[in-house]
Amino acid sequence: MPSKIVWCDGSEQENERLAEEMLRDGTFISLNEQTYPSCYLHRSNPNDVARTEGLTFICTSQKTDAGPTNNWMSPEEAKAKVRPLFEGAMKGRTMYVVPYILGPSDSPYSKIGVEITDSAYVVANMRIMSRMGKVALERLGNSEDFVPGLHSLGDLQPDRRFILHFPEEKLIWSVGSGYGGNALLGKKCFALRIASAMARGQGWMAEHMLILGLEDPSGKVTYMAAAFPSACGKTNLAMMVSALEGQGYRVWTIGDDIAWMHVGSDGTLRAINPETGFFGVAPGTNERTNPNIMDALHKNTIFTNVALTSSGEPWWEGLNGTAPKGITTWKGESLSSKTAPAAHPNSRYTVPASQSPSISSHFGDPQGVPISALIFGGRRAMVAPLVYESQNWQHGVFVGSIMASETTAAATGAVGVTRRDPMAMLPFCGYNMADYFAHWLEMGAKLKNPPRIYHVNWFRRGEDGKFLWPGYGENVRVLKWMLDRIERRADATETAIGNVPTPESLTLDGLSLSSQTIRELLRVDPNAWAEESQAMGKFYEKFGKRLPEPLHQEHQALDARLQQSSIPVK
Ligand code: SAT
Ligand code: MN
């Protein structure tokens, strides 16, 4: 029952009009026009600052099709429960119709969605994050092949908030949140949850992965895709300024969050980025950790829940020293306590990808880029070494399936708790995860030259509790080792979990790491891994008989190798 309906065309004029309206009603706060032209601050409701996984449902007719790792409601129950929350929700408000393309507008791999929303903030974000408006309607033409998404802010109360996915109907309903992944329905809801279910049926993959190109001194670019849980550094890795630039190694960005991957006509795995922007975590972002994004953030950017300086600039913890005098917190208050952060830990920027100096010339390539390496990574203080390589595709799928990571502020709930997060898809897989593992195994067989599969951990800590690895731009050294493995010029030590670099095979010049630190970074402790293996077994039990047999076999083989090898074999 909206009082007004706006069909969004994605034009500059429309964007300006919406921004003016939001400035008038307080949804947007303007920033310093000199240093941050066309940039805005949005403060969300303090109870609506992250994805709410407990309120996110996969609504399939059979419960087992959602699987043991998803919340489930039957489609009938879900609709009966949530329809009343939508009834009259837009009374007196404007309803926006937002058509968008996920993927390059001329790519055979792209898909169309239409989001209906009563949030102008969502419209402004969707315009940065996707190819929105006229271009999408033109591609759609008379076709009915699009994913409808219904969104309303509702009353923003968590007990009246639901993020519902109907993979059988390819439909999304979201009510009660205006935040990121809950409300920008093209992102996690379509591009991951609905798309993963579509991809399984259609023989492709929708993954929670960044896509980057590593250029070598000869100018050749090797593409890699990497899965890390939310707020574990995908954006920073994808946009990195390489510490080995002097030696001719550069990183080019294709995407920072989602990869859609198809088997190309040449038998390679081709990846496109369905998105056109970055919705990245602000805290910790600075000139050292991500100089490219710092460059990009100074125009046409929406900041959400960051702090505001007295000169009208955005600020967050980790930007530069301590909070400047006169700062206003993300809640719009003056900073009273020294312990409470000024910016919310999950505060974000929404910035057009095209503004990054690191953007690849293949960013909009309709055929995507050929992927030579897949990388899994978590945030682990212990156990997982800096990097290891799987033996083959099946072993690599096993490695992805047993991934674990410490939780972050990207979702509501406790932070720092280790949880199993297979392929970084735990919150994003739109169907039974056991079937998802089976789909991964099947995809390998369709590829002529399946990518090598690696696991990395930038977050290992020493006995003093400090990170052992410097991370950020130095991570290129690990990417270079992968490239050298692919090109068969780097050595590795075979261990129970996979191939670990020999210290000599890593390019570490210019880094002042002691040989002891390097040994600790690469160490595979059979006792710690035996414990890890038990945790894997517990996790696997959830899936019962549905878990693919090859993964059971890989798990048993790991146990056997762990028992044999307290000492690594050469
Ligand atoms: O809020 S989002 O889901 O878009 C960000 C994230 O958690 O990755
Ligand atoms: Mn993400």
Side-chain angles (χ1 to χ4, degrees):
M1 298 173 210
S3 59
K4 198 171 133 195
I5 299 177
V6 172
W7 286 75
C8 296
D9 61 14
S11 66
E12 191 57 50
Q13 298 87 301
E14 176 183 87
N15 195 45
E16 280 169 18
R17 200 186 65 234
L18 284 178
E20 270 164 35
E21 283 172 22
M22 284 191 277
L23 285 169
R24 237 177 290 130
D25 73 11
T27 306
F28 269 179
I29 295 164
S30 60
L31 295 175
N32 189 312
E33 260 306 316
Q34 265 76 54
T35 51
Y36 286 88
S38 301
C39 292
Y40 304 98
L41 166 64
H42 170 70
R43 292 183 182 134
S44 76
N45 186 307
N47 70 25
D48 185 30
V49 294
R51 277 183 298 103
T52 41
E53 294 177 3
L55 308 173
T56 301
F57 290 81
I58 301 297
C59 307
T60 44
S61 16
Q62 300 297 315
K63 184 171 186 192
T64 50
D65 288 337
T69 59
N70 280 315
N71 300 313
W72 175 83
M73 269 193 274
S74 77
E76 297 72 36
E77 184 197 351
K79 285 182 182 171
K81 190 164 187 164
V82 174
R83 185 173 283 119
L85 301 181
F86 276 113
E87 243 163 57
M90 297 183 185
K91 220 178 227 162
R93 305 169 53 88
T94 301
M95 176 175 103
Y96 302 93
V97 183
V98 186
Y100 59 95
I101 309 176
L102 294 179
S105 50
D106 53 350
S107 170
Y109 306 137
S110 298
K111 304 246 180 244
I112 293 177
V114 180
E115 174 167 357
I116 282 174
T117 179
D118 54 4
S119 160
Y121 166 82
V122 164
V123 178
N125 276 272
M126 286 294 285
R127 182 169 182 270
I128 297 175
M129 296 305 295
S130 68
R131 291 158 177 93
M132 186 273 264
K134 194 162 165 267
V135 65
L137 285 184
E138 277 171 5
R139 174 158 167 150
L140 186 62
N142 290 326
S143 164
E144 287 178 14
D145 188 12
F146 64 92
V147 171
L150 176 56
H151 171 252
S152 172
L153 295 171
D155 61 7
L156 295 178
Q157 289 312 304
D159 57 345
R160 292 159 62 80
R161 179 180 301 162
F162 291 93
I163 325 298
L164 306 178
H165 305 75
F166 304 91
E168 290 154 0
E169 263 180 277
K170 303 190 183 76
L171 169 70
I172 304 157
W173 282 16
S174 166
V175 64
S177 167
Y179 186 82
N182 290 339
L184 312 177
L185 301 187
K187 200 170 178 46
K188 308 299 184 175
C189 299
F190 181 175
L192 287 176
R193 297 195 191 96
I194 295 292
S196 63
M198 288 167 114
R200 179 192 177 209
Q202 299 167 359
W204 53 283
M205 308 168 90
E207 299 297 329
H208 192 204
M209 290 181 172
L210 67 87
I211 311 164
L212 62 78
L214 177 61
E215 182 177 332
D216 75 5
S218 76
K220 183 178 147 195
V221 181
T222 301
Y223 294 94
M224 307 178 169
F228 298 80
S230 301
C232 289
K234 281 194 299 300
T235 307
N236 295 338
L237 184 65
M239 302 180 74
M240 123 177 33
V241 172
S242 148
L244 298 178
E245 239 178 57
Q247 296 183 32
Y249 293 90
R250 271 196 81 131
V251 169
W252 297 103
T253 313
I254 306 273
D256 81 324
D257 196 39
I258 299 173
W260 282 3
M261 300 189 287
H262 290 73
V263 183
S265 49
D266 56 356
T268 60
L269 190 62
R270 318 274 321 185
I272 61 164
N273 174 6
E275 301 187 293
T276 53
F278 306 131
F279 183 66
V281 179
T285 306
N286 59 48
E287 284 298 339
R288 184 181 67 85
T289 59
N290 195 336
N292 281 327
I293 203 87
M294 292 304 291
D295 198 274
L297 286 179
H298 280 269
K299 54 181 186 194
N300 310 319
T301 301
I302 300 169
F303 294 91
T304 302
N305 292 339
V306 300
L308 183 64
T309 70
S310 53
S311 56
E313 298 192 342
W315 191 89
W316 48 81
E317 276 66 24
L319 176 64
N320 50 16
T322 51
K325 268 218 173 65
I327 197 147
T328 310
T329 70
W330 66 278
K331 289 185 180 166
E333 298 160 348
S334 57
L335 189 62
S336 51
S337 118
K338 285 209 170 62
T339 51
H344 188 276
N346 193 37
S347 53
R348 300 266 171 168
Y349 50 77
T350 320
V351 62
S354 58
Q355 287 180 198
S356 174
S358 66
I359 205 74
S360 158
S361 57
H362 288 277
F363 173 75
D365 193 326
Q367 295 305 320
V369 293
I371 298 295
S372 302
L374 294 173
I375 305 168
F376 296 122
R379 191 184 272 273
R380 299 298 301 272
M382 294 176 304
V383 187
L386 178 64
V387 56
Y388 63 99
E389 180 188 59
S390 61
Q391 308 293 358
N392 51 44
W393 182 267
Q394 178 175 306
H395 180 230
V397 175
F398 168 69
V399 168
S401 77
I402 50 99
M403 243 174 85
S405 192
E406 292 151 17
T407 50
T408 68
T412 53
V415 169
V417 181
T418 302
R419 71 169 181 184
R420 297 281 138 195
D421 188 351
M423 283 86 167
M425 283 288 279
L426 183 74
F428 307 121
C429 185
Y431 59 105
N432 189 313
M433 201 136 216
D435 299 345
Y436 169 79
F437 296 152
H439 181 54
W440 262 83
L441 291 168
E442 279 164 22
M443 286 299 294
K446 292 189 193 167
L447 294 165
K448 219 189 311 159
N449 248 325
R452 295 221 190 177
I453 300 181
Y454 295 87
H455 186 282
V456 300
N457 176 24
W458 318 132
F459 301 94
R460 197 164 187 169
R461 292 173 193 258
E463 270 169 8
D464 56 3
K466 291 203 176 118
F467 290 119
L468 292 166
W469 180 250
Y472 303 109
E474 307 294 349
N475 291 336
V476 73
R477 298 171 191 274
V478 175
L479 303 183
K480 176 177 180 293
W481 182 78
M482 295 172 187
L483 175 63
D484 289 341
R485 288 293 291 170
I486 293 166
E487 306 276 344
R488 297 174 202 284
R489 49 182 186 234
D491 285 337
T493 305
E494 237 179 75
T495 76
I497 62 168
N499 301 326
V500 174
T502 59
E504 306 73 42
S505 67
L506 286 168
T507 307
L508 297 173
D509 43 313
L511 256 194
S512 54
L513 290 183
S514 70
S515 55
Q516 193 195 338
T517 301
I518 294 161
R519 241 182 295 129
E520 182 57 22
L521 274 165
L522 299 175
R523 192 165 65 93
V524 177
D525 174 356
N527 294 326
W529 274 94
E531 250 175 63
E532 190 72 10
S533 174
Q534 283 198 341
M536 293 170 200
K538 274 240 165 65
F539 180 65
Y540 270 2
E541 270 171 27
K542 284 188 186 200
F543 301 102
K545 285 211 177 64
R546 208 139 162 169
L547 190 86
E549 187 52 31
L551 295 185
H552 272 306
Q553 289 164 7
E554 289 291 342
H555 187 213
Q556 280 164 6
L558 170 68
D559 273 342
R561 287 196 301 269
L562 283 169
Q563 262 167 23
Q564 283 165 15
S565 69
S566 335
I567 334 147
V569 271
K570 266 261 168 194

